[in-house]
Amino acid sequence: MLIENLKKLKSGTDIRGVAVEAGSPITLTDGAVDIICRAFAAWLSAKYSKKQLKIAIGNDSRISAERIKKTAAKAFIESGCDVLYTGLSSTPSMFILLKQPEFGCDASVMITASHMPFDRNGLKFFTHEGGLDGKDVDEIIAIAEKGGFTDAATRGKYCEESFMDRYSAILVEKVERACGKLPLKGKKIIVDAGNGAGGFFAEKVLQPLGADTDGSQFLEPDGTFPNHIPNPEDKCAIKSISKATVKSNADLGIIFDTDVDRAACVGPDGEEINRDSLIALISGILLKEKAGTIVTDSVTSDGLAEFIKNNGGRHLRYKRGYKNVIDKCKELNAGGEYSPLAIETSGHAAFAENYYLDDGAYLIVKILISMAQQAKKGKSLLSVISDLKKPVEEAEIRLGFNEKSKDFKTEGARVIEELTKAASLNPALTLAPENYEGVRIGLGYGWVLVRMSVHDPVMPINFASDTAGGNKKTAQLLYSLLSGYEFLNLQNLQNFLSL
């Protein structure tokens, strides 16, 4: 039974499952954690041709972390690996630790399920080359399925040492190198950690840089997430940090997801700096340093593309999925085309200068440097994106497949192919010249992107308009084009039209 379920625990490049009994049966069991960790040790040993390994383990604030940590540590120790337990950690810190030779670690495991509900948890693996990709995880699962593990003749050793103070000092030092000591003195900057692992940022990064952090909220770790979901894309979470920023008269509000690999901001007026605005802000900062190509996911706006071009860069919209945009950024640099950033609208941002690691804290550090530099010129941080054109309306609708669907992947591909053909024949519509996912259509007053979810029977549709009422016009066009597909469930589109 366990072996049969291992593949179901794979989630992209991670292992994830139900870890707490809260209405659904536990799938990330002790047995699953044990056999996957033993397989990871075997995979590492073969990869490095090395029997004596040292593996670091860290976790976010989830209530299942202690159980999973004990099981993982036991599996590694019995496999002959030394274990360094770092306690409450951010996901990016577990990779940066591998770059510190004094720790002597060969790999690391972060126990996290990112922004998912409190009853979920998972395992994220790192080597010195970076986070594992999906193919690597498949290989580990295949090793686990074969089983046959035996305890090593010599068991590994266990020790505990936090890395977060050292990691925080690295971030502080980066800002100080660029701006000098106490560059944020006189600035009020607050943090919302959502009771995840990001509370360290207020005390250990912002305060040493001189910032006033009074008004920060939900910094204490609490894996039940009692206040809001720690997710920069969640509307309630953004509303919470916006309200706190305005109430505190802060110059900037910062919000992290549970394990701090994503982040977003809000300005002094509480307006969110997220999605296209966040991408524009960090792109504008980087392009002032050196012109290059900014790689994003596919749902970014035409206004963002224009902003990047006007700031001396090239905008490459690529496939959804943070690993996809990171890999594309790496590919461009390897081929001689300078690309400083891979970023998703979800807040995943990976810098070429920082090992292509998606690190929410590093993203914010780059923004803080710009904030301090702009202040010296008498300008605000948001002056960087003063010329960003924003759509008047934006929307996302997710269409499902009904009981008449037999193969959603084939059917979805057919819809996209036929929409592409229809758009090419309509003089009022324009196909995006460079598109890597689904079909993106220019409408004259806006745009629409129709694509398929990678794994699920869902067709997400993103659209934006430069004029009021344009989205309804787009939705009506979509309804007329899609109503002939009997396997599509158009209810969400109908609901949008009835608003």
Side-chain angles (χ1 to χ4, degrees):
M1 186 69 174
L2 170 64
I3 298 300
E4 292 172 358
N5 289 332
L6 286 181
K7 286 189 176 72
K8 295 179 181 178
L9 293 175
K10 183 190 174 188
S11 177
T13 59
D14 302 354
I15 295 293
R16 289 186 186 176
V18 179
V20 175
E21 187 72 56
S24 299
I26 293 176
T27 57
L28 193 63
T29 62
D30 288 348
V33 173
D34 175 81
I35 198 168
I36 288 171
C37 287
R38 289 176 186 270
F40 181 49
W43 183 85
L44 283 171
S45 182
K47 177 180 176 67
Y48 293 122
S49 299
K50 184 178 179 182
K51 290 187 177 180
Q52 188 60 45
L53 297 162
K54 186 175 182 181
I55 301 174
I57 302 174
N59 56 262
D60 65 22
S61 61
R62 293 172 183 276
I63 59 177
S64 55
E66 180 66 15
R67 170 181 72 83
I68 295 171
K69 181 268 290 188
K70 286 181 178 178
T71 304
K74 182 173 180 287
F76 289 138
I77 289 168
E78 291 179 352
S79 299
C81 304
D82 290 339
V83 170
L84 168 64
Y85 175 54
T86 61
L88 185 70
S89 304
S90 71
T91 291
S93 75
M94 294 306 294
F95 172 72
I96 297 299
L97 178 147
L98 298 181
K99 297 300 181 180
Q100 315 306 309
E102 63 270 29
F103 286 94
C105 291
D106 300 287
S108 62
V109 177
M110 177 66 179
I111 300 170
T112 182
S114 189
H115 63 279
M116 295 183 77
F118 82 96
D119 62 330
R120 302 304 203 268
N121 216 329
L123 304 170
K124 188 174 183 66
F125 306 98
F126 291 100
T127 67
H128 284 267
E129 289 77 42
L132 269 56
D133 60 26
K135 181 182 176 183
D136 296 327
V137 176
D138 287 336
E139 290 174 0
I140 291 167
I141 290 174
I143 292 170
E145 288 175 333
K146 290 180 182 178
F149 301 107
T150 57
D151 291 353
T154 303
R155 294 195 173 196
K157 299 174 183 178
Y158 176 88
C159 66
E160 297 186 359
E161 182 179 354
S162 175
F163 178 61
M164 290 307 293
D165 284 352
R166 186 90 60 89
Y167 172 71
S168 299
I170 292 170
L171 297 176
V172 169
E173 182 184 1
K174 179 169 182 63
V175 180
E176 290 179 340
R177 282 200 309 268
C179 305
K181 296 288 185 180
L182 301 176
L184 301 179
K185 190 173 182 178
K187 295 292 185 183
K188 188 161 194 177
I189 304 174
I190 65 170
V191 174
D192 183 331
N195 303 111
F200 76 94
F201 200 84
E203 178 186 354
K204 297 181 180 180
V205 179
L206 290 174
Q207 290 177 19
L209 293 170
D212 175 359
T213 61
D214 287 348
S216 293
Q217 60 185 16
F218 316 139
L219 304 183
E220 291 299 316
D222 184 340
T224 63
F225 311 133
N227 294 291
H228 62 68
I229 297 170
N231 181 1
E233 286 192 290
D234 182 72
K235 291 181 180 179
C236 291
I238 287 292
K239 184 177 180 181
S240 181
I241 182 60
S242 296
K243 183 178 179 181
T245 302
V246 173
K247 181 180 179 181
S248 301
N249 274 331
D251 297 286
L252 188 70
I254 300 164
I255 184 168
F256 294 112
D257 74 341
T258 319
D259 61 328
V260 201
D261 62 358
R262 292 189 295 135
C265 309
V266 297
D269 59 356
E271 183 176 353
E272 65 180 272
I273 308 169
N274 208 358
R275 299 179 66 84
D276 280 5
S277 295
L278 181 64
I279 297 172
L281 177 60
I282 193 60
S283 297
I285 292 168
L286 292 172
L287 292 172
K288 281 181 173 59
E289 297 173 2
K290 183 179 178 181
T293 298
I294 306 297
V295 183
T296 74
D297 58 2
S298 59
V299 301
T300 50
S301 71
D302 292 343
L304 175 64
E306 183 179 343
F307 174 87
I308 291 172
K309 181 180 179 181
N310 290 343
N311 280 268
R314 181 172 91 89
H315 181 204
L316 175 61
R317 290 190 189 98
Y318 200 57
K319 302 173 185 176
R320 289 277 284 181
Y322 71 93
K323 193 69 173 173
N324 288 329
V325 294
I326 290 172
D327 287 346
K328 191 64 177 177
C329 184
K330 287 180 178 179
E331 177 189 314
L332 293 177
N333 282 305
E337 181 177 348
Y338 176 63
S339 177
L341 177 69
I343 183 167
E344 268 205 314
T345 47
S346 65
H348 278 287
F351 296 79
E353 67 184 38
N354 191 43
Y355 310 105
Y356 300 100
L357 175 67
D358 49 320
D359 184 345
Y362 192 90
L363 168 66
I364 296 300
V365 157
K366 293 289 288 188
I367 290 172
L368 294 177
I369 291 171
S370 179
M371 185 180 196
Q373 292 172 340
Q374 292 296 108
K376 286 183 179 179
K377 301 174 185 176
K379 297 181 179 180
S380 73
L381 172 66
L382 294 181
S383 65
V384 175
I385 55 172
S386 59
D387 58 341
L388 173 65
K389 294 179 181 178
K390 298 181 180 180
V392 174
E393 298 174 341
E394 293 180 280
E396 178 177 284
I397 293 173
R398 299 171 71 84
L399 302 183
F401 289 72
N402 59 34
E403 67 281 354
K404 294 183 180 180
S405 171
K406 293 186 170 44
D407 181 353
F408 72 88
K409 290 186 177 180
T410 301
E411 291 158 350
R414 174 189 155 197
V415 171
I416 289 169
E417 181 183 354
E418 292 177 356
L419 281 178
T420 303
K421 184 177 180 181
S424 69
L425 297 174
N426 188 330
L429 305 179
T430 306
L431 288 171
E434 190 174 40
N435 186 57
Y436 294 89
E437 185 172 36
V439 55
R440 187 182 181 102
I441 303 171
L443 304 165
Y445 56 87
W447 58 271
V448 60
L449 172 69
V450 182
R451 60 189 176 86
M452 277 297 299
S453 171
V454 177
H455 303 293
D456 302 319
V458 174
M459 180 175 283
I461 302 176
N462 295 82
F463 47 104
S465 172
D466 297 326
T467 59
N471 275 359
K472 282 286 181 74
K473 183 178 176 182
T474 303
Q476 190 62 57
L477 172 65
L478 287 170
Y479 189 80
S480 66
L481 291 171
L482 298 176
S483 57
Y485 298 101
E486 60 179 12
F487 48 78
L488 280 179
N489 182 348
L490 301 182
Q491 187 61 53
N492 288 341
L493 188 55
Q494 291 172 322
N495 294 342
F496 183 85
L497 284 168
S498 65
L499 291 176

